[in-house]
Structure formats: structure tokens, C-alpha cells
Amino acid sequence: MTPQQIKAQFAQAQALIRADRPEEALALLKTLLMPSGGAPEIRFQMARALDLIGDTTASAAALDEVLKALPGEASVREAAIRAHTRLGNEDRVRALYDEAVKADPKTIKPRADKAQYLQQIGDFDGAETILRRLLKQSPQETELYRMLVAGLKLKPGDPLVRAMRKLWTDPRLNDQGRMQLGFALAKAAEDAGETDRVFDYLDAANTAQARLAPFDAAARDAEWAAYAHAQDDLAPPAGTASLPLRPVFVTGMPRSGTTLVEQIIGAHSQAVAGGEMGHALREAVRLFGPAEKMKPLSKMGAADLDRWAMAYRRGVRRDTGAVSGVVTDKSIRSQLIFGLIAKGLPGARIIVVHRDPRDIALSIYKNHFRLGTHRYANDLGTIAAEIRAFRAQVDHWRDRLPGQIHEIRYEDLVADAETESRRLIAAAGLDWEDACLTFHKQAGKVKTLSLAQVRQPIHAGRREAWRKYETELAPFLDSWGDEPWD
């Protein structure tokens, strides 16, 4: 092939990737390897195509080949970190983070990213070492305090607490800093048993975050109304194929116990825990439009649904490696498209987790969510409205999808773990295995806020935690009104 032909075919492959036709792109790119001498640019595009297909193993291998030729290419290293993280290749991920730190030793981000990864895989000591060193060098970086406190319980008298409290009084502290530091100080105060201080910090942190990312309740209501209207027709069209991959969607309000439920199912030998993948809703928006523009189910044929299901399967394969069997999908907000899930993924199971709204509200208000997500979380009255909205959405689908939604109460699960776990496993379409009660012994990487909890056995210690803060929760309790808690 001439250089011009190689260039033209390479451009064609890139266009196919942009057009969501990765299989065709990959075929073209493979024919370019020999005439191009294995050019790293071609291997990188192959990695992109393989990632879109969902073949993370092959994508990671291609990225490693690129790094051999371009060891200092940060964007390639970041892609390799993502791929090897999905594969659970902890040693390789650690090495890649070390390379990132070595390439940019004076920048905080590579070391902070490594610390966050170590927390996710349960190496809290390693994360603590990195974060304490960073704070010694950069004591004004408030996010580091929050990251550190999230992964450990500070002992009384820890100098870190004194440093945070001193920084808290600095008049130069902006909203971003007050948000990060406030959540950290609230956690530290609670760990120390200083419950009278907790809400002073939480109120300030949540007020700052609300200013940075305001919440629009009207937009939330309009979004749900549009999704519900677009999913009126639930009859599956002729020809819709069942997938060898059978997802079990586990959803609920944040902090309701969905991670616990997923870990119980994921401990089964025939199941894989996928975490908060988000592919179902993301691909629905990409293929059918956002809520107000979503193509109605009544106008979707089997080909539309199969295309969406294939895109979903690619994403699951990329994140978990699974191409068949049971995969749990703990995606918050999947209740928005239960109709599409029921119609486009025959055989999928749906599990909804409920918890005492008072405990949900307290836990949401106490935790920092990535800025711009869960915007309702910064006001107790708004949290009450959000929980009611979630309940109404579940009620909507319960009426329209009779027998297809399994609901469980967190309180029942921790009170009678074996009975409720057996029901969960049956709802997932699996036979019982005793390993499902010892999930904490095999917990892997955890991306949610439940970093430490999923590495503990089931216990009732976090029930009715709200009672310690009943006075401070008055805005939530008043907003909730007379609606039953259960």
C-alpha cells in the first residue's frame, strides 16, 4: 500500500468509529498494521474500536503496545488505566499510576488519582499514606482532606483535624473549598462523637455546593413526565430477541442499600457485579433522544430495540467482560426507563431497594456527590421531594409492569439476612448459594460512596441512624409531612 492509501484507509476507519461501526473500523485497521509497520496511531485507534465493541482485554493489550512506542503519552496511559481497572489488573494499574507520577512528580492529580484507586480496591493504608504526604506538601488543597477522611476514621487528637479547623476559619476559603472541607470536618466530628458539630459543617458545605450547582425541581418533573409519556406502549414487537446476557437492574435512591444488594447477588458463582454502569439510560439518550425528545416506544421496531440492546451489551462487556449469564447493573435513575428495559431486554430482572426515608435523607445530606450530580442533595426539604418523586416513579411502573419488579426493604434485609437474600437470589433467577451471605470476603473494586461498608458482613448497625440528628433533620421531617415512612 502507498502512504496515500494508508492515510485514506486510516481516515475511513476513524470515520467508522465516529459512526458507531467499530467492527468495520477494526477490520480496516488490522489490514494497516503490516504496511504501516505497526504504527502506534493505528494501534491506538484499534484500541478505541475494541473498546466500543466491548473487548476490554484486547483493547488493553493494544494500549500497552502503544505505550511501548510512546511511553510518555498521557492520554494513552489514562486509557490504559481505565481498561486495566475494568479488568481488575491491580498490579498493572498501580504501575501505570506510578508512571504517571514519575512523568509529572510535582502535580497533585496523579498521586491523588492513585490514592482514590487504592481506596476503591480496599488498600486504605496505601491511600492514607499518599494523601497525608500530599497534604503535608499542599495543606490548602481541601479536596484532599475530604478524600482522606472518606477512607478512614480519624482518631481523637489527629493533627489533621486541627489543620482542617484552622483552614475552616480562613476568610479566603471559597465555596469549592468550603464544600470539600465541610464534608470532611462533618465526618471527622461524627467519628469523634461530636454530634453537636456535625450539622454546622454539613449545612455550610451543602449551602456552598448548592450555590455551585443549583437544583431545578421543575426540570426534574418535566423530565419524568416526558419519559413516562414516551414509554406508554409496553407490548414487545415481534422479533425482539432475548440476549445471552441477562441483566439484573438494582436501583433505589442513593444511600438506600443498593450496593449491599448488588454485592449479595454478585457473590453468586453465575453472576457478575457490574456496578453503576449507566449504559441503559446513556444509550437510550444517544439512540432515541433525551426525555423531551425521546422516540416513543410505540414507534420503535424490533431493529431499534435490538440496536439499543446491542449497545447496552457492548458497554456491559467492556465494563465486566461478561457476554452471557447474569450481570447486576446498579445504575441510579434506571427507573426512568423501566418500560424500555422491559420491552427491549426480554428476561431482564428489576430489583428496587427501599429504605427508611429518614436514614436516606441523613446519608445523602452527609455525603459529597460529584459536583453537578444529585443536585437535590444539598437541601433537606428538596431531598424529601426527591424521595417522594422516586416512590411515585416506582408506583407508576409497578402498575404497568405487574410481577416484573421485585421490591425489598433495606431494614428487612439487615434484620433477616438469609431469608431476604434467598428471595433476592430467586428474584435474580438464580439458585441459592451460601457464598451470597459472605460477599464481604470477596468484594473487589467499589466505585460508590460505600467504600468500607461492602467489605463488612451484613449488620443492623446503620438502622435508624437518623435518630441521633432528629432535631437537625426538622426541615426534612416537616417537608415529608404525613406520608408513611414505610
Side-chain angles (χ1 to χ4, degrees):
M1 297 179 70
T2 66
Q4 291 78 11
Q5 289 173 323
I6 293 174
K7 184 177 180 180
Q9 189 163 314
F10 182 66
Q12 184 182 0
Q14 288 180 299
L16 287 169
I17 290 174
R18 290 192 296 270
D20 194 27
R21 294 161 63 183
E23 292 87 355
E24 297 171 60
L26 185 61
L28 288 179
L29 290 165
K30 285 180 176 179
T31 65
L32 294 177
L33 279 176
M34 186 173 293
S36 70
E41 295 84 357
I42 291 174
R43 291 192 183 277
F44 181 68
Q45 295 303 322
M46 287 178 63
R48 287 186 62 203
L50 288 162
D51 185 69
L52 288 173
I53 291 169
D55 191 345
T56 303
T57 300
S59 179
L63 290 167
D64 285 344
E65 289 296 320
V66 177
L67 285 173
K68 289 178 183 178
L70 303 171
E73 192 63 44
S75 61
V76 179
R77 187 190 306 114
E78 290 170 4
I81 286 173
R82 290 192 296 271
H84 284 288
T85 297
R86 294 185 189 120
L87 293 171
N89 297 335
E90 294 181 9
D91 290 342
R92 179 58 177 148
V93 176
R94 288 173 187 259
L96 287 165
Y97 274 122
D98 289 341
E99 290 174 14
V101 171
K102 185 178 180 181
D104 197 359
K106 294 184 179 181
T107 301
I108 291 174
K109 189 177 185 304
R111 287 175 286 174
D113 287 347
K114 181 180 179 181
Q116 189 171 46
Y117 172 74
L118 293 179
Q119 287 181 332
Q120 291 174 352
I121 63 173
D123 185 357
F124 296 107
D125 291 341
E128 180 182 355
T129 298
I130 293 173
L131 292 169
R132 284 190 183 274
R133 286 175 180 170
L134 285 173
L135 282 166
K136 190 174 182 179
Q137 299 168 16
S138 304
Q140 303 298 315
E141 292 293 334
T142 54
E143 186 173 7
L144 297 175
Y145 292 103
R146 182 188 58 74
M147 291 175 62
L148 176 58
V149 172
L152 81 160
K153 185 174 182 177
L154 293 178
K155 297 178 181 179
D158 191 309
L160 193 71
V161 178
R162 292 196 297 273
M164 287 193 292
R165 287 177 177 170
K166 181 179 179 180
L167 187 56
W168 185 252
T169 63
D170 191 329
R172 295 170 295 178
L173 197 64
N174 59 18
D175 278 342
Q176 182 72 236
R178 196 158 297 280
M179 172 188 69
Q180 300 284 358
L181 199 59
F183 285 113
L185 279 166
K187 169 80 163 42
E190 185 166 60
D191 287 346
E194 300 171 343
T195 55
D196 58 320
R197 287 188 165 193
V198 171
F199 263 73
D200 289 339
Y201 295 126
L202 285 181
D203 289 342
N206 279 291
T207 297
Q209 187 163 15
R211 284 195 292 264
L212 293 168
F215 175 63
D216 187 343
R220 174 203 60 203
D221 294 340
E223 179 188 52
W224 164 242
Y227 272 125
H229 178 70
Q231 297 173 88
D232 275 344
D233 180 10
L234 299 178
T240 302
S242 294
L243 297 177
L245 185 77
R246 188 163 62 76
V248 176
F249 289 88
V250 179
T251 195
M253 285 293 297
R255 317 302 295 160
S256 63
T258 55
T259 299
L260 173 60
V261 168
E262 182 188 49
Q263 292 295 317
I264 291 170
I265 300 172
H268 197 284
S269 63
Q270 297 177 33
V272 176
E276 295 183 14
M277 295 185 288
H279 301 305
L281 182 57
R282 188 180 306 114
E283 292 298 335
V285 170
R286 183 177 70 85
L287 295 173
F288 307 131
E292 67 279 2
K293 298 180 181 178
M294 182 178 180
K295 184 176 182 179
L297 288 187
S298 59
K299 296 183 179 179
M300 292 185 195
D304 293 318
L305 295 172
D306 288 347
R307 184 183 177 199
W308 172 73
M310 180 61 70
Y312 176 78
R313 186 171 62 177
R314 283 177 179 171
V316 171
R317 180 188 178 191
R318 181 174 70 235
D319 286 356
T320 68
V323 295
S324 63
V326 171
V327 176
T328 56
D329 186 335
K330 196 184 74 72
S331 298
I332 300 295
R333 285 168 51 85
S334 62
Q335 80 279 357
L336 295 175
I337 55 166
F338 277 176
L340 175 60
I341 289 170
K343 189 167 183 174
L345 293 173
R349 304 294 178 96
I350 297 172
I351 295 172
V352 175
V353 186
H354 297 290
R355 188 182 184 183
D356 188 315
R358 293 162 291 193
D359 279 328
I360 291 178
L362 174 62
S363 190
I364 287 176
Y365 197 67
K366 282 167 49 179
N367 281 281
H368 167 73
F369 296 93
R370 183 166 53 84
L371 191 63
T373 64
H374 304 295
R375 291 173 180 248
Y376 61 85
N378 304 124
D379 179 86
L380 289 167
T382 305
I383 293 173
E386 191 70 17
I387 299 173
R388 287 197 301 270
F390 172 79
R391 285 185 168 192
Q393 291 163 13
V394 174
D395 291 345
H396 172 91
W397 293 121
R398 187 190 303 112
D399 293 341
R400 288 159 179 77
L401 300 170
Q404 297 188 50
I405 299 175
H406 177 78
E407 298 179 73
I408 184 172
R409 293 179 68 250
Y410 172 83
E411 290 78 10
D412 293 340
L413 178 58
V414 298
D416 189 354
E418 182 168 350
T419 298
E420 293 302 323
S421 295
R422 285 180 177 275
R423 290 174 179 168
L424 273 177
I425 296 304
L430 296 166
D431 294 327
W432 175 251
E433 291 181 354
D434 290 341
C436 296
L437 284 178
T438 56
F439 64 89
H440 57 287
K441 295 181 179 179
Q442 51 185 302
K445 184 170 61 69
V446 182
K447 297 180 182 178
T448 72
L449 294 172
S450 308
L451 289 170
Q453 290 94 321
V454 299
R455 294 181 171 85
Q456 302 171 6
I458 299 173
H459 61 88
R462 289 183 292 276
R463 291 179 61 186
E464 297 191 342
W466 65 272
R467 291 192 181 279
K468 288 192 299 184
Y469 300 103
E470 189 168 359
T471 300
E472 292 85 350
L473 285 171
F476 172 83
L477 300 173
D478 292 343
S479 179
W480 187 263
D482 296 328
E483 185 172 338
W485 301 113
D486 191 308

